[in-house]
């Protein structure tokens, strides 16, 4: 008997996107004529069983293309990729929610999916009633649900609200109950999307422990999608990296995360800051340039050069540089308010140097985030992965000890040991 539980061969999913032509002036007769045409097109599409579209032109979009991989029984697989990479589409195909447009996928075993908050729940029914409803949708018998009922409620921690309609639940309570039902289904394959990010930190840790338990001790397969690379690394043993609908890398989870972070950093840092469109904030301040002066070394000074464009004069702005490790965990922030440095900005471009003394980082790759506020804590500009930083080995410790990040961690600290008297 083969140990392969999921096998994808040349898998693809195509969507058709309708585009409406833009006209400078539209008469009433044109609107009526277009509505009649759209109604006729929709009728034809319904009769032929095709996707309903609106618009004068149609574009083909491949959310997934030529995807190939194999997953073994008991594997804990992290599906990694940026927004729009095709992760959710892949999970919907594996969960049999949608059919592939090309290729095929073979699945051996019962699949339980948790893809969206409240999927399979009826808002008017109570938590108790939804456990039976959702369990039945996922394939559990009534006897099986009764046997596991107390365990499901205890894990979800919603006993107090069990007879309350779930429309009154918070999104976190929704997720706790939905995950608990799916996890206790005893599926051969458990598929979990980013929805766990809705829950609190304690419940996320509880869920990760449950997924690890069902995989290690019960031999079930787990597919986990998350932007939390620390959670991915803690839970998963194998990784599949998607990029623009194609498999960019697959292999051991550490290698997969390295491949993703390098690919992500290259795609971001190759774009000048002035051209970045993924920024958030009110726009009163805007980062236009960032530079690391020299080659950073452990234990030696590093200087960051930051250029900020201001829409007006601001007397009490604040700037921040965040440093993350290879799994995007925030290690530290270098803030003007931390250093008690008042920031006065003139309308136009302003340039600052940030001095990091005795760079307390072990050698390796790091990522830089930028944050600015013109007024109090109101975000004016925030850019993740604004730059990549390579730190080289240096002499942070006076005795020449070289800290290896893999074994000793990213952050360097001097300490003094003495015998306790």
């Amino acid at each position: 008997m083969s140990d392969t539980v999921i096998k994808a061969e040349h898998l693809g999913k195509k969507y058709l996107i309708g585009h409406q032509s833009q006209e400078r002036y539209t008469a009433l007769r044109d609107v009526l004529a277009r509505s009649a045409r759209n109604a006729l097109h929709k009728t034809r599409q319904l009769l032929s069983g095709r996707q309903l579209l609106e618009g004068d032109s149609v574009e083909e979009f491949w959310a997934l293309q030529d995807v190939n991989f194999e997953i073994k029984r008991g594997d804990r697989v992290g599906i990694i990729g940026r927004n729009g990479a095709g992760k959710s589409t892949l999970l919907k195909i594996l969960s049999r929610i949608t059919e592939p447009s090309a290729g095929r996928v073979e699945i051996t075993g019962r699949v339980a999916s948790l893809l969206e908050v409240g999927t399979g729940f009826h808002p008017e029914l109570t938590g108790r009633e939804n456990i039976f409803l959702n369990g039945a949708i996922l394939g559990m018998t009534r006897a099986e649900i009764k046997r596991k009922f107390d365990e499901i409620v205890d894990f979800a921690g919603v006993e107090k609200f069990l007879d309350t309609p779930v429309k009154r639940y918070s999104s976190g309570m929704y997720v706790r109950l939905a995950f608990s039902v799916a996890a206790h289904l005893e599926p051969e394959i458990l598929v979990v999307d980013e929805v766990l990010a809705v829950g609190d930190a304690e419940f996320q840790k509880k869920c990760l422990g449950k997924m690890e338990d069902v995989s290690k001790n019960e031999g079930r397969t787990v597919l986990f999608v998350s932007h939390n690379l620390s959670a991915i690394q803690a839970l998963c043993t194998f990784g599949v990296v998607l990029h623009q609908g194609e498999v960019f890398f697959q292999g051991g989870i550490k290698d997969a995360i390295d491949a993703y972070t390098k690919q992500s950093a290259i795609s971001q840092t190759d774009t000048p800051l002035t051209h970045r469109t993924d920024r958030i904030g009110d726009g009163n301040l805007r980062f236009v340039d960032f530079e690391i002066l020299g080659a950073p070394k452990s234990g030696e000074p590093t200087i960051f050069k930051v250029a900020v464009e201001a829409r007006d004069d601001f007397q009490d702005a604040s700037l921040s540089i965040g440093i993350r490790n290879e799994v995007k965990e925030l290690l530290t922030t270098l803030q003007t308010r931390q250093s008690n440095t008042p920031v006065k900005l003139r309308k136009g471009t302003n340039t600052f140097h940030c001095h990091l003394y005795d760079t307390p980082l072990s050698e390796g790759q790091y990522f830089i985030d930028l944050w600015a506020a013109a007024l109090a804590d109101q975000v004016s500009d925030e850019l993740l992965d604004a730059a990549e930083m390579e730190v080289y080995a240096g002499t942070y410790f006076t005795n020449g000890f070289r800290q290896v990040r893999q074994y000793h961690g990213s952050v360097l600290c001097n300490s003094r040991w003495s015998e306790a008297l």
Side-chain angles (χ1 to χ4, degrees):
M1 181 178 174
S2 173
D3 277 342
T4 300
V5 293
I6 300 177
K7 184 177 182 180
E9 295 179 327
H10 308 293
L11 197 62
K13 181 62 181 178
K14 178 179 69 174
Y15 292 101
L16 299 177
I17 305 172
H19 295 287
Q20 189 73 55
S21 61
Q22 299 295 318
E23 299 178 7
R24 295 176 65 90
Y25 171 77
T26 305
L28 177 61
R29 65 175 180 273
D30 298 323
V31 174
L32 295 174
R34 178 180 298 138
S35 298
R37 282 200 312 272
N38 286 340
L40 180 60
H41 289 163
K42 286 181 181 179
T43 303
R44 289 174 177 170
Q45 289 160 1
L46 277 172
L47 293 174
S48 62
R50 289 180 295 173
Q51 178 183 336
L52 287 178
L53 293 169
E54 289 190 11
D56 300 321
S57 61
V58 176
E59 175 191 352
E60 287 188 353
F61 170 71
W62 286 89
L64 292 174
Q65 195 163 15
D66 198 29
V67 171
N68 299 274
F69 59 84
E70 282 190 30
I71 295 174
K72 303 293 184 182
R73 181 176 287 103
D75 280 351
R76 301 192 300 277
V77 182
I79 311 293
I80 310 170
R82 298 181 64 191
N83 291 332
K87 305 184 297 298
S88 295
T89 301
L90 175 60
L91 294 194
K92 286 177 181 177
I93 291 176
L94 298 179
S95 302
R96 300 185 178 95
I97 293 173
T98 187
E99 293 291 323
S101 306
R104 61 198 299 263
V105 58
E106 296 178 7
I107 302 175
T108 305
R110 182 163 64 167
V111 179
S113 304
L114 185 58
L115 304 183
E116 294 181 19
V117 176
T119 300
F121 277 30
H122 193 295
E124 298 296 335
L125 299 181
T126 65
R128 183 188 304 276
E129 292 165 333
N130 270 296
I131 290 175
F132 284 92
L133 173 64
N134 195 233
I137 290 172
L138 293 174
M140 297 172 77
T141 65
R142 187 171 183 82
E144 190 178 0
I145 298 171
K146 281 186 173 180
R147 179 165 51 86
K148 293 182 172 294
F149 186 85
D150 290 342
E151 197 176 342
I152 290 170
V153 173
D154 181 64
F155 187 91
V158 295
E159 183 176 3
K160 184 178 178 181
F161 309 98
L162 202 54
D163 295 306
T164 301
V166 297
K167 67 181 180 182
R168 297 194 175 98
Y169 283 19
S170 68
S171 57
M173 291 167 66
Y174 247 110
V175 168
R176 292 206 300 271
L177 192 57
F179 179 87
S180 187
V181 174
H184 288 87
L185 169 63
E186 295 185 356
E188 284 79 16
I189 302 167
L190 178 62
V191 178
V192 183
D193 203 347
E194 186 69 63
V195 289
L196 288 187
V198 178
D200 55 62
E202 182 182 352
F203 186 73
Q204 288 180 37
K205 185 177 179 181
K206 193 176 180 180
C207 290
L208 292 173
K210 180 65 176 177
M211 288 190 283
E212 186 173 10
D213 182 60
V214 299
S215 176
K216 277 186 177 180
N217 300 332
E218 302 173 31
R220 301 185 218 164
T221 303
V222 175
L223 272 66
F224 183 40
V225 167
S226 177
H227 289 288
N228 185 337
L229 297 182
S230 299
I232 289 273
Q233 188 173 44
L235 173 70
C236 302
T237 56
F238 187 82
V240 176
V241 183
L242 295 178
H243 178 63
Q244 296 182 350
E246 299 180 355
V247 174
F248 177 76
F249 179 89
Q250 55 182 309
I253 192 61
K254 188 177 185 307
D255 293 334
I257 289 174
D258 287 345
Y260 166 67
T261 52
K262 287 176 182 176
Q263 180 273 329
S264 177
I266 289 171
S267 62
Q268 293 279 44
T269 56
D270 278 357
T271 304
L273 296 190
T274 51
H275 294 169
R276 289 276 295 270
T277 58
D278 57 332
R279 61 212 315 153
I280 62 173
D282 58 27
N284 281 322
L285 304 180
R286 192 166 176 266
F287 291 104
V288 293
D289 194 23
F290 177 82
E291 187 180 351
I292 303 171
L293 303 181
K297 289 185 178 180
S298 301
E300 298 183 15
T302 298
I303 301 176
F304 303 106
K305 182 180 177 182
V306 182
V308 184
E309 188 175 74
R311 283 181 177 173
D312 206 340
D313 293 345
F314 295 99
Q315 298 302 311
D316 190 23
S318 37
L319 308 175
S320 175
I321 297 172
I323 302 177
R324 297 181 185 269
N325 63 10
E326 76 278 10
V327 294
K328 302 301 179 73
E329 289 177 316
L330 183 63
L331 300 178
T332 189
T333 55
L334 313 175
Q335 299 179 333
T336 53
R337 288 185 178 173
Q338 278 177 347
S339 60
N340 199 29
T341 305
V343 176
K344 296 183 179 181
L345 299 175
R346 300 177 304 277
K347 183 177 181 179
T349 301
N350 302 258
T351 304
F352 297 88
H353 282 167
C354 173
H355 299 262
L356 177 61
Y357 299 106
D358 303 330
T359 305
L361 299 171
S362 55
E363 62 179 310
Q365 184 186 44
Y366 298 86
F367 300 92
I368 302 295
D369 300 338
L370 298 176
W371 181 91
L375 304 168
D377 290 323
Q378 184 175 329
V379 180
S380 293
D381 196 18
E382 182 177 32
L383 277 172
L384 303 181
D385 292 333
E388 182 181 352
M389 178 173 70
E390 186 75 26
V391 175
Y392 299 92
T395 54
Y396 182 86
F397 297 102
T398 55
N399 62 0
F401 175 79
R402 178 181 169 187
Q403 180 161 334
V404 180
R405 184 162 63 172
Q406 181 179 355
Y407 304 109
H408 306 120
S410 301
V411 180
L412 305 176
C413 297
N414 275 310
S415 58
R416 184 177 69 87
W417 287 71
S418 62
E419 184 178 359
L421 301 177

